[in-house]
Amino acid sequence: MAGVGGGNDFQWCFSQVKGAIDEDVAEADIISTVEFNYSGELLATGDKGGRVVIFQREQESKNRPHSRGEYNVYSTFQSHEPEFDYLKSLEIEEKINKIRWLPQQNAAHFLLSTNDKTIKLWKISERDKRAEGYNLKDEDGRLRDPFRITSLRVPVLMPMDLMVEASPRRIFANAHTYHINSISVNSDHETYLSADDLRINLWHLEITDRSFNIVDIKPANMEELTEVITAAECHPHQCNVFVYSSSKGTIRLCDMRAAALCDRHTKFFEEPEDPSSRSFFSEIISSISDVKFSHSGRYMMTRDYLSVKVWDLNMENRPVETYQVHEYLRSKLCSLYENDCIFDKFECCWNGSDGAIMTGSYNNFFRMFDRNTRKDVTLEASRESSKPRAVLKPRKVCTGGKRKKDEISVDSLDFNKKILHTAWHPKENVIAVAATNNLYIFQDKIN
Amino acid sequence: MLGKGTKRKLDEDEEGLAEGAPVEGGPGGTGDPSSKLSYSLQRQTVLSLSLMKLYHPRALAEPSLERRLLVNNVLRRIQEELKQEGGPQALFLHPPSPPSEHHPLGEGFREAQPAFGVPPVATTPFLPPTGLAPVPPDSCLTPASLLEDDTPLLCTPLPTSTPQRPTPIIAKDSFSSALDEIEDLCETQGPTATSPPSPVGALPHLPSVAPMGIDSKDGAKPCSQKLGVSALLSEGQPAVGAQESRLMETQLPGGLDISSSSSSGFLTDLTLDDVLFADIDTSMYDFDACTASASGGAGKMAPLVTADDLLKSLSPYAGSGSTATPVSPSQPFKMDLAELDHIMEVLVGS
């Protein structure tokens, strides 16, 4: 069985699963975003309850060289609280829509987390020493009577149990009328962009009371609204370039040097619609749910409802590669429209070398595509295959006719078990897959 | 050409029927009547689903702008198609009737399977298939627009300009236009309601359907059960809501502007409140003609009937999903009044 993800033949194995096992899933525990940091040492998840959980990889032990370090909880904090907008009588959900790490510049780690309306910059720092021997305080912290002090001493730093503290350093609020769907840190490490349905703002990390509006597609007459912004990302190397995708399946690349307001795009990516497959749901399934630049900056990948497309930034009229994620759903679009699954927003991600891409599907399936060999595999994140270092067995969905053994028919798929968020370690073949309230970590097993 | 998909069988559920033809073989596309029929059925289903989504979002939280926009675009597209199909069909167009009424028609057609010379009435649009006349901003129904930061979304009442209806297409005050719609509904439903066996409006215009009329009534039950949409209609609350949506359906959903609306449910309630309280035009409440004939003696309905009366009138409808009784088109007004009454009680604090 050929694996996917780097050219070598390897297989994916179960490594860890985080989260409660019981069937009753609390809504607040549903994971809403997953993100590795730049080194891959830290893995952050956000959930619908507004919490952020950060896992840290333990150092590889010499005793077990073949099993890489496990991820253990490093820090947990409440990032966002539910709010109520009294003017509009609307509740603002505390669900974390996105987390983006900042490149590490000192001992502390910084990340941006956002809900629908507010972005926060969090500093996560370690404290493993404590000063002892204060002159004015007792060890308990009580103030000493100054008249009793007869001698002075210099406090010394004593080791203590590691404490990881998370503190909000910046709060970027009140800049978005509509729901924030994306944030992206710029390659200059000083600015970042945030995008809602109709506008994109550019922020400076130090300045919270102002942001530049760089894209505004709100029409003067809202009745004329035909498309919204669905995702946006900064180019990984060129700090003046960013892209944003729309609900009509188009991607616009903008250059901030061209104008202050980038309503006019520099490049426009759209694949002409295939007239023979037109249906009532054509527009809905063409809506792009995620856009990601490759690490090289040469390509970008978009995810729509049924497929993943890789675009060469130099070619606007069609993608260079198209991968079908679950084409068998095309005949079920009406039902999926009825139960709202057609509006699910799947994300996608590149591996470190840009040689493979991964995205989620239903029934806790996720798909990986090797761009070089053109092979693809469907794997499942389930408790059944959760034995340590158990090799994941490829799954297959049968679309009609006779169902072979081990295949699952389309009608048996569980559409409540959807994998919307996945992340790939930036350097190694380690992946994190969010299945409702559980986080699965898989890694490769080199044959 | 039936397009991709599995081979359709007659007794397959709506899934097979509705999804077997992704190809746009709409008006004049294919000459095959059964594929046209299934396309119309699918279109009708999608139309009903879209309206349900806009006016009764299942999500507890506020529906996203993108979702509402996409559903709205589906609706617009279907409206455009129906408008283009226009022509002789315009004569057959009737005021919106509950989804369960369309399905019996569709069911009837499906069972009959003859080659119809006329386009199936199943394409009777949920909304009058006329052009969208622009209306001035102040015709937006919701006073919540006063609370907005941004320009209020324009709610466009669809003007009724079919040959049957002499109502001129002018931009009117939103309350008046809503009232007109209700009056129109009342007028046209009135006469047809007196002939219970016939599907609403279809009989006079499509004699070939007549033999199917009774079948379609009986067909209502299996059909409504098969179609997932109707599953919601058989419950009390959503059923009421569906009737509410008929009241609202003549306006494009006003919820596109996220800053202007809370949930569309809120919007709907607010709108009905305005309609009820802001204009004391009693012509709106002259339901005698429709309700008396349809419900067989429900009596004159005063605007603020007692809850008991409404409950009595509610229960026959609530059970309609599981009985073969076709829903009378005038019953929705009782539903609306029930809702209004409830709102009144809440407001009064009783």
Side-chain angles (χ1 to χ4, degrees), chain A residues 401-419:
Chain A
K402 290 182 65 172
R403 186 179 75 89
K404 301 194 186 71
K405 177 167 141 2
D406 282 351
E407 282 186 0
I408 180 166
S409 78
V410 185
D411 300 307
S412 313
L413 294 174
D414 188 343
F415 289 95
N416 291 320
K417 292 188 184 171
K418 48 193 93 172
I419 291 182

Side-chain angles (χ1 to χ4, degrees), chain A residues 79-80 83 112-113 117-122 167-174 192 203 205-210:
Chain A
S79 170
H80 287 73
E83 287 170 35
L112 287 169
S113 70
K117 296 286 184 180
T118 306
I119 307 140
K120 295 186 182 180
L121 175 68
W122 288 89
S167 59
R169 305 303 285 182
R170 305 273 186 278
I171 297 183
F172 305 91
N174 301 321
Y192 74 96
W203 301 82
L205 285 165
E206 299 291 330
I207 300 170
T208 59
D209 61 352
R210 265 173 297 159

Side-chain angles (χ1 to χ4, degrees), chain A residues 359-385:
Chain A
T359 189
S361 178
Y362 293 104
N363 209 69
N364 278 355
F365 287 172
F366 57 100
R367 303 261 287 137
M368 295 160 119
F369 303 94
D370 188 319
R371 294 178 65 213
N372 303 316
T373 64
R374 292 307 171 122
K375 287 185 185 154
D376 63 271
V377 67
T378 304
L379 300 171
E380 182 181 2
S382 75
R383 291 276 175 176
E384 283 73 38
S385 49

Side-chain angles (χ1 to χ4, degrees), chain B residues 68-84:
Chain B
R68 282 185 289 174
L69 173 77
L70 290 171
V71 173
N72 205 11
N73 287 350
V74 170
L75 265 181
R76 274 187 191 162
R77 195 189 131 183
I78 294 178
Q79 278 181 298
E80 283 299 312
E81 259 184 37
L82 294 170
K83 190 173 77 158
Q84 280 165 10

Side-chain angles (χ1 to χ4, degrees), chain B residues 8 21 27 39 104 131 178 194 203 241 258-259 293 347:
Chain B
R8 297 169 315 178
Y39 179 81
T194 53
L203 204 55
I258 231 182
S259 58
S293 48
L347 288 173

Side-chain angles (χ1 to χ4, degrees), chain B residues 3 5 9 25 68 93 101 107-108 124 143 156 161 163 170 172 207-208 244 247 257 262 270 323 327 333 335 349:
Chain B
K9 297 183 176 55
R68 282 185 289 174
L93 295 172
E101 278 214 322
E107 188 72 68
T124 300
T156 311
S161 66
I170 42 174
K172 295 187 271 192
S208 54
E244 265 181 17
L247 195 65
D257 190 344
S262 52
L270 206 58
T323 67
V327 178
F333 299 116
M335 305 311 112

Side-chain angles (χ1 to χ4, degrees), chain B:
Chain B
M1 183 169 79
L2 299 179
K4 313 179 232 193
T6 54
K7 178 180 173 186
R8 297 169 315 178
K9 297 183 176 55
L10 269 186
D11 48 348
E12 238 175 20
D13 64 8
E14 68 93 6
E15 199 180 296
L17 198 66
E19 299 158 29
V23 175
E24 189 155 331
T30 69
D32 183 0
S34 60
S35 91
K36 258 176 136 177
L37 171 64
S38 79
Y39 179 81
S40 304
L41 250 178
Q42 184 188 20
R43 181 168 59 190
Q44 196 57 51
T45 309
V46 175
L47 187 58
S48 313
L49 284 173
S50 306
L51 284 166
M52 293 282 291
K53 282 183 194 309
L54 283 172
Y55 293 110
H56 288 275
R58 291 191 214 174
L60 299 167
E62 182 195 349
S64 75
L65 179 64
E66 183 192 350
R67 182 171 174 272
R68 282 185 289 174
L69 173 77
L70 290 171
V71 173
N72 205 11
N73 287 350
V74 170
L75 265 181
R76 274 187 191 162
R77 195 189 131 183
I78 294 178
Q79 278 181 298
E80 283 299 312
E81 259 184 37
L82 294 170
K83 190 173 77 158
Q84 280 165 10
E85 279 176 12
Q89 274 192 293
L91 292 173
F92 305 141
L93 295 172
H94 292 278
S97 19
S100 54
E101 278 214 322
H102 280 293
H103 301 326
L105 293 177
E107 188 72 68
F109 277 96
R110 198 169 71 178
E111 288 167 10
Q113 270 219 329
F116 292 106
V118 290
V121 174
T123 61
T124 300
F126 221 66
L127 306 155
T130 55
L132 307 175
V135 290
D138 60 359
S139 70
C140 183
L141 277 175
T142 171
S145 62
L146 298 173
L147 302 173
E148 286 168 34
D149 305 332
D150 302 310
T151 317
L153 172 72
L154 302 190
C155 311
T156 311
L158 289 175
T160 56
S161 66
T162 56
Q164 285 178 314
R165 310 205 205 134
T167 317
I169 310 172
I170 42 174
K172 295 187 271 192
D173 176 77
S174 58
F175 303 143
S176 325
S177 56
L179 296 183
D180 284 335
E181 286 301 328
I182 297 164
E183 282 183 76
D184 289 337
L185 279 167
C186 197
E187 286 161 16
T188 37
Q189 295 302 347
T192 58
T194 53
S195 50
S198 65
V200 179
L203 204 55
H205 303 280
L206 288 171
S208 54
V209 183
M212 293 295 118
I214 297 170
D215 287 342
S216 67
K217 256 174 57 178
D218 295 330
K221 179 192 169 181
C223 194
S224 61
Q225 279 176 353
K226 281 175 186 175
L227 291 152
V229 175
S230 311
L232 286 176
L233 294 178
S234 59
E235 299 166 33
Q237 180 57 31
V240 174
Q243 301 316 311
E244 265 181 17
S245 77
R246 292 176 58 259
L247 195 65
M248 294 300 299
E249 70 210 347
T250 53
Q251 294 99 32
L252 276 180
L256 267 191
D257 190 344
I258 231 182
S259 58
S260 74
S261 67
S262 52
S263 71
S264 354
F266 175 73
L267 185 70
T268 308
D269 291 343
L270 206 58
T271 308
L272 289 170
D273 257 338
D274 300 326
V275 171
L276 180 61
F277 296 119
D279 191 340
I280 319 199
D281 181 1
T282 54
S283 64
M284 174 186 172
Y285 308 121
D286 241 359
F287 289 148
D288 287 6
C290 4
T291 59
S293 48
S295 58
K300 183 164 189 155
M301 304 271 275
L304 303 172
V305 297
T306 65
D308 287 337
D309 291 340
L310 291 172
L311 278 174
K312 283 185 213 152
S313 57
L314 264 174
S315 38
Y317 178 79
S320 71
S322 52
T323 67
T325 315
V327 178
S328 160
S330 59
Q331 283 208 335
F333 299 116
K334 293 184 202 169
M335 305 311 112
D336 298 331
L337 288 172
E339 285 280 307
L340 297 173
D341 197 54
H342 177 68
I343 295 167
M344 277 287 296
E345 283 175 18
V346 169
L347 288 173
V348 168
S350 57

